[in-house]
Amino acid sequence: MSTGTTVAAPDAPTNKKIYVGNLGTNVTRDDLVNLFGLAATPYLKTSCTIEIATCEKTGKSKNFAFVNVPEHVHSELMKLNGIEFYGRQLVIEEAKTKDDEKNDENKENRNKQRPYNNNRRGRGGYNRNNGRGGNRYDQRKKYTVPAIEADQVFSLVDGGCNLTNPRFNQFIDYVIARALKGGIQKMVVTGLKMNGCKSAVVMSKTRPNILYAAVGIHPHFVKDDWTDKSLNQIEELVKDPCVVAIGECGLDFNKDYSPRELQETAFKEQINLAVRYKKTLLVHDRDAHQSILDILEPFTDALPPVIIHCFTGTKDQIKAYIDRGYYIGVTGYLCKEKYGGSLREAIKDGTLPLDKIIVQTNSPYMTPSVPQAEIDPISQTLLNSCCADNEPCTLSVIVRYIAKLISQEPSQVADVTTATAMKLFRFTKSEN
């Protein structure tokens, strides 16, 4: 006999709509599914929808889409705002409701009644891109491509550059074009943060055989980006063939932006990944040399190649790393008159052998600031071509500086360092 009581059905998961703008004209629904990982589980496949806006007359994309996802997925996708996808910086934000659109229309009508004031701060005012927080690009150099004689262009590999850095967002294709013109055939893009790692993978997939990804959480960011899910997320990225290294990970006891214990935990977990997948390990060391050695010691027999990324330490530390069989990442730090002395001395006297060097720009940082009295015309041309503080196209400046230190031809240094990079990152000649 019925009691007349009604049992409410369980609430269905709440979905939220996201606006994805600045899409390339040829981007498809499948592209977005792969980018956002919406086919990762049967649940996501059935609960997520994508609608690419198209012109009614031509059927062509209007370069934006709406993505409908469960609420818990929504918060993760919102973090991808600004990610680079097929050469464009995506705009990812909350989709507006009808009430939002009405409010915007009312605001626009009110603004039309106000006289224009060129001195107002904010959008369109004098404060935009000026002073602190402004764009550090020299806009006049956006289209600049270095003009170098063919016999002075060497085939090189940039073993670590930060192309996911926001300074490159608007000009990434020009940055890559300048690098290729300067002889940089391949670039390993470091992610540093979780979203940066995802972006590095996307960039590499959309520019095959030129860009490759290194995924890992930098010690500065483990306090924010190292969670229970982080290791699994990185491992999924590592499985992609375009990922050739784990890192930049390690210890930074100079800045101490993250608790040391957490830095060490994240470092050990990422070493385990490198061992498991046999991918080169990019290690960050700032004032943590002995701790780095101690943590790596138990993994000695199983370690893949280890590169001490963007080395800034002492000659004795170089010797200790070389004795372990590790490689040293040499950046524009070498050229800094005040700070690069130990590194220069180690290269000159053979403490750091040429075949143990991986050349890296670490751009947009570590500009190879060769003293004006020593710089050669080609190096000056490459530096003058940069739109940012530093770009991958300056890698040849570092190679030329190394050549002077050991009295060899730059082409010889290029051949040796490129061969080392090809071996460590497992690039094949057929990819060139």
Side-chain angles (χ1 to χ4, degrees), residues 217-234:
I217 307 300
H218 188 288
H220 284 349
F221 307 116
V222 295
K223 70 180 188 301
D224 298 317
D225 273 20
W226 195 259
T227 66
D228 294 338
K229 298 179 181 178
S230 300
L231 187 61
N232 291 335
Q233 289 178 310
I234 294 174

Side-chain angles (χ1 to χ4, degrees), residues 7-67:
V7 179
D11 292 338
T14 303
N15 272 30
K16 300 191 75 172
K17 185 179 284 189
I18 294 173
Y19 167 86
V20 182
N22 200 30
L23 293 171
T25 304
N26 296 324
V27 170
T28 66
R29 180 186 181 280
D30 287 344
D31 289 331
L32 294 179
V33 168
N34 292 330
L35 173 64
F36 297 137
L38 302 185
T41 66
Y43 169 70
L44 288 176
K45 286 181 180 179
T46 58
S47 61
C48 302
T49 60
I50 294 176
E51 177 189 350
I52 297 179
T54 57
C55 175
E56 292 183 2
K57 292 183 179 179
T58 64
K60 293 183 177 180
S61 170
K62 292 184 177 180
N63 306 107
F64 68 89
F66 293 104
V67 182

Side-chain angles (χ1 to χ4, degrees), residues 340-372:
S342 293
L343 188 51
R344 291 193 292 271
E345 185 180 342
I347 292 174
K348 287 180 72 172
D349 68 13
T351 300
L352 175 51
L354 183 59
D355 63 359
K356 285 291 185 178
I357 291 176
I358 291 292
V359 284
Q360 309 169 307
T361 59
N362 201 36
S363 51
Y365 313 110
M366 291 296 173
T367 304
S369 305
V370 180
Q372 198 61 41

